[in-house]
Amino acid sequence: MNIKFSSSVILVKNIVTSREFYEELLGQTVMMDNGPNVIYEGGFSIWQRDAALGIIFEDTPKSNIENALPAFELYFESSSLEQAWKRCSINPERVIHTIMEHPWGQQGFRIYDPDGFIIEVSEPLPVMVQRFIKEGYSMAQIAEKSGMPESLVCFMAEQSD
C-alpha cells in the first residue's frame, strides 16, 4: 500500500473572509470552488468549519470536537520577501513577527490568518543560498549554518546561476 500526501485542508470560521485573505492578500489562485470548500493551486484547501465538522464528526458530541482541533502553520515562499511583507503587514494585529533570519539562515515573517492559523512567508532556500554566497560564505559554511547537506547547497547554488 502506498499513501501519498495530497493536500492540507484548514477549517475556517468564515469562508468569505478567508477567501479574501488567501486570494487577495496572498495572491492564491482557486483551482476548484465547491462553495464551502475551496481548493487552491498551491496544494491546500480551506473548508467552512461548521460544514466540515458536520461531515467529519457526524455522530461525535460537540464538546469532544472542539478539543480535537489542532493548530498548525501554512508555509509559503516568495522571492520578493520585502514586497510580500509590505503587502501582508498592513494589518498590525495579524503580525506575529517581522522579517527575521531563522537559526538555519532563511529569512521570513509570520502572520495570522483570519482564523488564527499561523502563516509563514519565507524566501526560497535557493534564494537563501545565493544571499549567503553574495555575503562571502563558502558552500561548507552555508551547509553548516543551514543544516542542509553540502551537496544540496551546491545543487541550489548551481540552479540559481
Side-chain angles (χ1 to χ4, degrees):
M1 174 174 76
N2 184 18
I3 298 175
K4 178 183 160 199
F5 175 78
S6 180
S7 176
S8 293
V9 180
I10 59 172
L11 308 183
V12 300
K13 293 176 189 166
N14 184 311
I15 196 82
V16 174
T17 302
S18 293
R19 286 193 69 167
E20 288 173 5
F21 177 83
Y22 287 103
E23 294 166 30
E24 294 175 19
L25 188 66
L26 294 183
Q28 299 304 294
T29 303
V30 174
M31 187 169 75
M32 232 169 26
D33 182 350
N34 298 316
N37 180 268
V38 178
I39 302 167
Y40 293 100
E41 288 181 359
F44 77 98
S45 303
I46 57 176
W47 194 359
Q48 180 71 39
R49 184 177 174 157
D50 55 357
L53 294 178
I55 293 169
I56 296 168
F57 295 103
E58 186 178 331
D59 297 323
T60 304
K62 188 173 177 161
S63 61
N64 292 350
I65 295 170
E66 292 301 320
N67 295 333
L69 298 177
F72 63 93
E73 171 183 278
L74 289 176
Y75 172 79
F76 296 86
E77 291 185 340
S78 175
S79 295
S80 305
L81 196 57
E82 289 288 337
Q83 288 177 331
W85 168 247
K86 285 179 186 172
R87 185 174 183 167
C88 292
S89 63
I90 57 173
N91 185 343
E93 292 94 38
R94 287 197 176 143
V95 173
I96 298 172
H97 66 76
T98 60
I99 295 174
M100 61 178 275
E101 185 174 299
H102 302 298
W104 57 93
Q106 187 180 30
Q107 292 183 346
F109 63 88
R110 287 184 176 89
I111 59 175
Y112 291 110
D113 84 346
D115 289 279
F117 292 111
I118 299 168
I119 305 298
E120 177 182 350
V121 181
S122 288
E123 65 187 344
L125 290 174
V127 170
M128 176 196 73
V129 168
Q130 285 301 315
R131 181 169 47 83
F132 283 143
I133 290 170
K134 288 177 186 168
E135 292 175 11
Y137 284 71
S138 70
M139 296 296 133
Q141 289 171 318
I142 297 171
E144 183 178 338
K145 180 164 182 68
S146 68
M148 294 188 292
E150 191 170 341
S151 60
L152 180 57
V153 171
C154 292
F155 176 77
M156 287 183 184
E158 291 170 9
Q159 299 302 307
S160 300
D161 290 338

